Amino acid sequence: MADVEFRKVRKAWGAVVAVDDLDLAIEAGEFVSLLGPSGCGKTTTLRMLAGLDFPSAGEILIGGRRVNDLPPAQRDIAMVFQSYALYPHMTVAENIAYPLKKRGVPRGERGPRVAKVAEMLQLGPLLDRRPRQLSGGQQQRVALGRALVRDPRVFLLDEPLSNLDAKLRGHMRAELVELHRRLGRTMVYVTHDQLEAMTMSDRIAILEGGRLQQFAPPQAVYAAPANRFVAGFIGTPSMNLIDGELAAGPAGPEFRAPGLALAVGPLAAGTQPGPACLGLRPEHLSFGTGPLAGTVQLVEETGHEAIIAVTLGEGGPRLVGRSPAGLALRVGGQVRLALNGPAAHLFAPGPTGRRLNAPSPSGAVAAAAAGDQP
Amino acid sequence: MTAIRRVLFNLFAWTVVLAVAFPLFWMIVTSVKPQSELFRRPPTFLPETVTFEHYWTLLTRTGFLDYFRNSVILSVATTLTVVAIATLGAYSLVRFRYRGRESLAFLVLFTYLLPSVVLIIPLYLMLVTLGVSNTIFSLVIAYTTFALPYALWLLRSFMAGIPEDLESAALVDGASRMGAFRDIILPQLLPGIISTALFTFILSWNEYLYALVLVNSDAARPLTTGVMSMLISAFNIEWSLLMAASVMMSVPLIVAFAFLQSYLTSGFGAGGVKG
């Protein structure tokens, strides 16, 4: 049974629709990320789950219980805020003990439980300090401690790492994964950072414009994006997206754009020739040899590899690829390159055009596609 | 060059300080001079003999203590009423979304567009109709009408400075709305509440016009009008008694300021939220 469930949830502020027609079922013990650009509705979704905002329509269930009209206190949740929201006039110990106090845990029991959480998060020496005397990372841990001190059914995390510096963020990411493994609780994590979502989640829900674009495990989101938005959003550098035309070629369907003709794999049933969009990950371009010629626009050496931007032919599409370091390329020079046609993705036209590829026989993508509908 | 500028600046600053402080100094000096020394020419800057007879006269032979008690009751009651209403009102104006919220906030300031003289007569008539005229209670109502709008705006800006996340966190942690208000908002708002309370207290402690018009019995008269009617008549002004009364009227305000000043200046709520 799903632990957290959204059924046709909609949230509108006047004429502005923040979340529309959201269906989402999160299994017990799952770590789910809500990922999307600013203003995609991910924070609104989380706040509705927390009971801080109320849906305009639809149902939200936690543990099979409809919670639409329940105040946050009665939902058995804990939340970590982006700003941490520590109570400035309370010490660290008082901050962590506050949820216990509000739920009527006797004073004598609070001390040991706070101590246990403090030990887990290495907050012991800080218990008597006030939040303003702590560093960002310490404040973050206190916020986490306040969520952990109770044993709630669902943890909600609203971009908890976004105020930390890059190194600490990497560290806390690993800590959170470890914490989730140890607690085995359902966690819903809001982020705009795809690296966080990809590395931590069991499944990722990608939102855009208040609508769910795809809900699948990270590798499926990467290998078989459900539509053009997901394809362009996930991956760094992002997927090459080329607008062109789908036509019947001599040996099966073919994608055509200026300076480019590529045979593409089997397509979904009912796909018609016409305008389409080709998506190709940078790692599916290979440089040095190949049937195509391009002009080098930009070479970015990152150390272990190079990110190379080329334009195909005269005024053709611009493509970005990765190549092992050491390939001697000059900006403005010519380079031969090949595209990995079977790995290409095809999408219907439009910003969220749906995926046109037939489910691939290759293992990874097949598993990924299966993960799409659990 | 810089030395000259410093001297000039100091000179200027001390002139301002003296200009402000001298009347206060003169008030104290006059209140402790014996009657014989009061109008002597040339005047003595420091009294030759110090006497507290005027204070004694004031405390034992006049209604000063009654007026003082009235003023305390009046100011405390007004302050409590204003702070209680303004805190909840400011909370509503900042946190809840409803139609006309902004217009409402501006509307309360309209009181200040009208001179108090214009408001007094209708207010007096209303209080008479309510049957509370000539009581301290009527003054509490009257003072609340003009202290509340300012208090509301003052607290509104303090309240807007408290991050909403703090309250959301308290709600998630299991508090009810009133619980979150009490546990989180009120402690954060304390500096704002104290400055608002101080402002209201001073306003009602020093108020004269409404007290003059609305109250006409010694039982309800506060210090301002009480001292005036008691010591100033058409034929005579009891200067030494008046100065002694003024000193004693200033004491509560000075004490309040001395104790609360640190609250007013301390950055109490800083550092709770990162970002």
Side-chain angles (χ1 to χ4, degrees):
Chain A
M1 187 185 67
D3 204 26
V4 172
E5 206 174 342
F6 288 83
R7 285 186 191 157
K8 300 257 170 275
V9 170
R10 175 189 162 88
K11 175 70 185 175
W13 314 91
V16 184
V17 179
V19 174
D20 201 8
D21 202 19
L22 178 68
D23 279 308
L24 202 62
I26 298 171
E27 304 297 321
E30 229 182 347
F31 192 118
V32 166
S33 291
L34 305 179
L35 177 67
S38 303
C40 70
K42 55 189 191 294
T43 296
T44 307
T45 305
L46 195 73
R47 287 178 61 87
M48 283 193 288
L49 185 53
L52 298 170
D53 284 331
F54 294 92
S56 316
E59 278 190 317
I60 299 175
L61 292 91
I62 297 178
R65 186 169 59 133
R66 187 176 185 274
V67 296
N68 275 32
D69 304 315
L70 284 187
Q74 293 169 29
R75 293 189 178 199
D76 200 12
I77 49 164
M79 184 162 171
V80 177
F81 290 78
Q82 184 177 8
S83 63
Y84 311 147
L86 303 180
Y87 312 129
H89 56 290
M90 296 185 193
T91 63
V92 168
E94 286 166 345
N95 262 286
I96 296 178
Y98 187 73
L100 299 178
K101 185 178 155 195
K102 281 287 120 180
R103 287 184 162 80
V105 175
R107 197 177 287 270
E109 260 177 63
R110 288 183 218 157
R113 286 175 73 170
V114 170
K116 202 174 125 217
V117 168
E119 192 195 356
M120 183 158 75
L121 296 168
Q122 291 140 35
L123 286 169
L126 307 175
L127 283 178
D128 291 329
R129 303 235 192 122
R130 290 194 193 268
R132 65 169 163 276
Q133 297 166 308
L134 305 180
S135 71
Q138 290 167 336
Q139 291 186 7
Q140 212 274 336
R141 292 216 302 277
V142 176
L144 213 52
R146 197 172 59 189
L148 290 174
V149 73
R150 243 164 28 84
D151 191 22
R153 186 176 193 113
V154 183
F155 285 95
L156 311 179
L157 303 113
D158 186 7
E159 310 212 18
L161 306 185
S162 63
N163 284 330
L164 303 179
D165 62 59
K167 199 173 162 200
L168 197 55
R169 203 180 308 161
H171 175 71
M172 284 309 296
R173 219 161 55 208
E175 296 255 298
L176 278 176
V177 171
E178 164 66 20
L179 202 62
H180 173 247
R181 201 182 53 73
R182 206 162 5 138
L183 297 173
R185 289 286 170 190
T186 311
M187 292 194 177
V188 183
Y189 187 99
V190 160
T191 182
H192 64 265
D193 182 340
Q194 49 167 300
L195 184 66
E196 284 176 14
M198 295 293 282
T199 53
M200 299 166 75
S201 321
D202 294 322
R203 281 196 288 170
I204 303 178
I206 296 164
L207 291 134
E208 155 67 4
R211 288 182 169 274
L212 183 65
Q213 306 295 326
Q214 187 168 9
F215 185 39
Q219 62 276 20
V221 167
Y222 188 82
N227 63 31
R228 180 177 174 163
F229 174 80
V230 176
F233 189 72
I234 297 286
T236 322
S238 48
M239 188 188 277
N240 296 295
L241 292 168
I242 307 157
D243 283 308
E245 196 135 356
L246 196 61
E254 210 175 70
F255 178 82
R256 288 179 195 149
L260 178 70
L262 192 66
V264 289
L267 298 177
T271 305
Q272 298 295 322
C277 171
L278 179 86
L280 202 60
R281 294 244 178 244
E283 55 266 36
H284 295 137
L285 272 70
S286 54
F287 295 92
T289 54
L292 296 165
T295 311
V296 178
Q297 296 285 323
L298 185 69
V299 179
E300 291 175 309
E301 294 279 357
T302 61
H304 67 289
E305 63 172 9
I307 310 291
I308 300 160
V310 295
T311 45
L312 286 184
E314 278 301 309
R318 181 186 155 106
L319 298 176
V320 175
R322 352 170 84 115
S323 156
L327 199 67
L329 286 176
R330 186 171 53 79
V331 172
Q334 293 289 312
V335 66
R336 304 296 301 178
L337 69 152
L339 310 181
N340 181 357
H345 308 268
L346 272 171
F347 302 104
T352 57
R354 73 190 161 82
R355 182 179 180 79
L356 298 178
N357 296 67
S360 159
S362 91
V365 178
D372 215 341
Q373 277 105 32
Chain B
M1 188 59 201
T2 47
I4 298 175
R5 272 179 65 172
R6 251 202 9 229
V7 169
L8 281 179
F9 179 78
N10 268 310
L11 217 61
F12 173 74
W14 279 108
T15 315
V16 172
V17 170
L18 278 181
V20 172
F22 185 76
L24 295 175
F25 167 75
W26 201 243
M27 170 177 87
I28 295 169
V29 165
T30 310
S31 72
V32 295
K33 276 179 188 174
Q35 201 73 34
S36 54
E37 206 179 319
L38 212 53
F39 295 107
R40 188 182 296 171
R41 271 165 204 271
T44 49
F45 272 93
L46 289 173
E48 282 164 2
T49 44
V50 173
T51 170
F52 290 101
E53 60 177 301
H54 309 307
Y55 290 90
W56 188 244
T57 313
L58 212 53
L59 292 179
T60 53
R61 282 203 248 133
T62 66
F64 183 84
L65 277 181
D66 291 333
Y67 298 145
F68 196 91
R69 192 200 61 217
N70 289 346
S71 261
V72 168
I73 294 173
L74 171 59
S75 301
V76 168
T78 307
T79 305
L80 289 179
T81 313
V82 166
V83 166
I85 299 176
T87 308
L88 292 171
Y91 180 76
S92 150
L93 284 177
V94 170
R95 284 287 186 267
F96 298 140
R97 312 244 168 277
Y98 46 85
R99 279 177 86 85
R101 188 170 60 121
E102 283 296 311
S103 332
L104 200 69
F106 276 100
L107 211 63
V108 295
L109 284 187
F110 266 47
T111 333
Y112 295 136
L113 291 183
L114 304 168
S116 21
V117 179
V118 175
L119 295 174
I120 278 187
I121 304 302
L123 200 57
Y124 177 72
L125 292 176
M126 276 192 258
L127 291 171
V128 168
T129 317
L130 285 175
V132 293
S133 65
N134 240 345
T135 59
I136 294 181
F137 183 59
S138 72
L139 283 183
V140 172
I141 294 177
Y143 290 5
T144 302
T145 61
F146 67 83
L148 190 58
Y150 185 79
L152 201 60
W153 272 74
L154 203 64
L155 278 173
R156 192 171 100 118
S157 58
F158 272 100
M159 190 81 79
I162 300 174
E164 201 173 348
D165 271 0
L166 286 184
E167 206 185 332
S168 304
L171 291 178
V172 171
D173 283 344
S176 61
R177 221 172 227 292
M178 273 323 274
F181 183 77
R182 196 188 56 231
D183 294 347
I184 309 301
I185 302 289
L186 276 187
Q188 292 302 302
L189 203 61
L190 202 59
I193 289 179
I194 288 175
S195 26
T196 310
L198 210 55
F199 160 82
T200 313
F201 190 87
I202 293 170
L203 211 66
S204 34
W205 188 263
N206 291 334
E207 208 287 329
Y208 183 77
L209 186 63
Y210 282 73
L212 185 70
V213 175
L214 297 183
V215 166
N216 201 19
S217 85
D218 267 351
R221 232 193 278 271
L223 271 177
T224 44
T225 51
V227 167
M228 285 296 267
S229 64
M230 175 172 74
L231 302 175
I232 301 175
S233 63
F235 309 104
N236 184 28
I237 298 177
E238 299 274 358
W239 279 111
S240 37
L241 286 180
L242 189 59
M243 288 304 124
S246 304
V247 170
M248 286 197 282
M249 280 171 75
S250 314
V251 167
L253 294 188
I254 293 170
V255 170
F257 251 109
F259 274 99
L260 298 177
Q261 195 208 12
S262 61
Y263 269 106
L264 296 181
T265 49
S266 69
F268 200 74
V273 162
K274 173 125 191 194

